[in-house]
Amino acid sequence: MEIIKKLQRNQLYPIGNGWTKKTQPFRYFMVHTTNGNQWSNFMNEVNFLLRNKSKNKYGAWTSVSAHYLISKDGIIYELLDPDKYVAIHTGLTLAGRSNKYSLGVEMHYTPGEGRFPAKTWYALTWLKNQHPNLIPVTHRESALPKGRKIDPSGISDSQFNYWKTHLHVPVKLITVMQTGNIRKQPSIKSAIIETLKKPEQFMVYGDPETSTLDGGTVGNNKKWYYLNGVGYVHESITQ
Ligand SMILES: [Zn+2]
């Protein structure tokens, strides 16, 4: 897949705000969503993360930033080189998870925009696997006081935990066809969670050849996909 576009804050603003020099390795891979205006323009979000600054309560110039911003199309923008710089994205956190210790990854998504985009998940997975030693954490589980942050929005704790424990498993994108039924279990006897009104892409786990699992038979086919925390679909309604 398409991968990283480098557009680095430190090149555009060699002196200024939004970063400090890195002095030690990161331990965490902290995942955020931008949570700006719904359906905001992606390049505006890029520009915001590159250029924003404001005065803090002590009158000093400050700024928020991130190392990466992932688009809804799964393109990863590198805004700050994580080998050299610390970004400003955590605020107050649990011990040992502050900016100095955490690589910051933003994803372009705001609550109310529907299901979390599959291509963004996919790109996040790729990016995490470029940093195998870092521990993935959400901003909301790291921020203090508890409840101060809700992001990454659109990803539940159980989806995040499933993702975190399946990083060694290959992922792929599949499309479920219009009117496709997503079910609670891999069987057409199982309850329908949702019927799709238009074709939709999902990320699924597993080797591309064997990413299906066996479930209830439809025709002669018992192959089903697990849609990343959403539910199950029969292979015959995918492409
Ligand atoms: Zn955040």
Side-chain angles (χ1 to χ4, degrees), residues 73 113 183:
D73 293 330
E113 292 182 342
R183 294 177 188 272

Side-chain angles (χ1 to χ4, degrees), residues 138-222:
T138 62
H139 196 194
R140 65 174 167 267
E141 71 174 283
S142 307
L144 291 178
K146 276 282 161 213
R148 183 173 67 84
K149 287 289 175 183
I150 59 167
D151 67 310
S153 297
I155 297 179
S156 67
D157 286 342
S158 70
Q159 278 176 310
F160 191 81
N161 289 333
Y162 188 89
W163 173 77
K164 203 165 74 173
T165 54
H166 287 74
L167 285 166
H168 60 287
V169 176
V171 289
K172 70 171 183 173
L173 294 169
I174 62 161
T175 300
V176 181
M177 293 190 268
Q178 187 174 357
T179 75
N181 288 329
I182 301 175
R183 294 177 188 272
K184 215 167 172 179
Q185 296 297 328
S187 160
I188 53 165
K189 290 180 185 139
S190 170
I192 296 171
I193 296 172
E194 189 179 333
T195 301
L196 295 184
K197 295 183 184 66
K198 54 180 174 39
E200 190 177 335
Q201 227 172 18
F202 290 87
M203 187 175 85
V204 297
Y205 296 87
D207 184 273
E209 299 306 314
T210 60
S211 49
T212 52
L213 52 103
D214 285 352
T217 305
V218 181
N220 294 321
N221 181 349
K222 58 180 180 180

Side-chain angles (χ1 to χ4, degrees), residues 30-34 89-90 105-106 139-140 149-152:
M30 192 178 291
V31 178
H32 305 260
T33 49
T34 48
H89 58 99
T90 69
V105 182
E106 290 279 356
H139 196 194
R140 65 174 167 267
K149 287 289 175 183
I150 59 167
D151 67 310

Side-chain angles (χ1 to χ4, degrees), residues 70-110:
I70 306 177
S71 78
K72 294 185 167 98
D73 293 330
I75 298 170
I76 302 166
Y77 279 61
E78 186 179 290
L79 308 180
L80 201 56
D81 182 346
D83 291 334
K84 296 185 187 150
Y85 299 100
V86 169
I88 299 174
H89 58 99
T90 69
L92 188 63
T93 64
L94 297 174
R97 295 193 187 188
S98 63
N99 293 317
K100 199 171 150 183
Y101 305 102
S102 298
L103 186 146
V105 182
E106 290 279 356
M107 300 184 289
H108 184 209
Y109 179 85
T110 293

Side-chain angles (χ1 to χ4, degrees), residues 3-58:
I3 291 299
I4 291 187
K5 289 189 194 299
K6 297 196 178 190
L7 192 69
Q8 296 180 354
R9 183 180 188 119
N10 53 302
Q11 290 164 1
L12 294 171
Y13 297 90
I15 302 167
N17 307 282
W19 55 273
T20 54
K21 283 245 160 73
K22 188 176 168 185
T23 54
Q24 60 187 82
F26 293 134
R27 282 204 68 201
Y28 294 97
F29 181 94
M30 192 178 291
V31 178
H32 305 260
T33 49
T34 48
N35 291 16
N37 295 329
Q38 279 182 4
W39 308 110
S40 64
N41 175 282
F42 178 69
M43 287 314 293
N44 289 347
E45 299 285 355
V46 169
N47 284 323
F48 177 78
L49 282 172
L50 287 172
R51 290 165 199 202
N52 75 86
K53 63 174 185 174
S54 58
K55 280 193 174 164
N56 70 13
K57 62 183 176 183
Y58 308 107

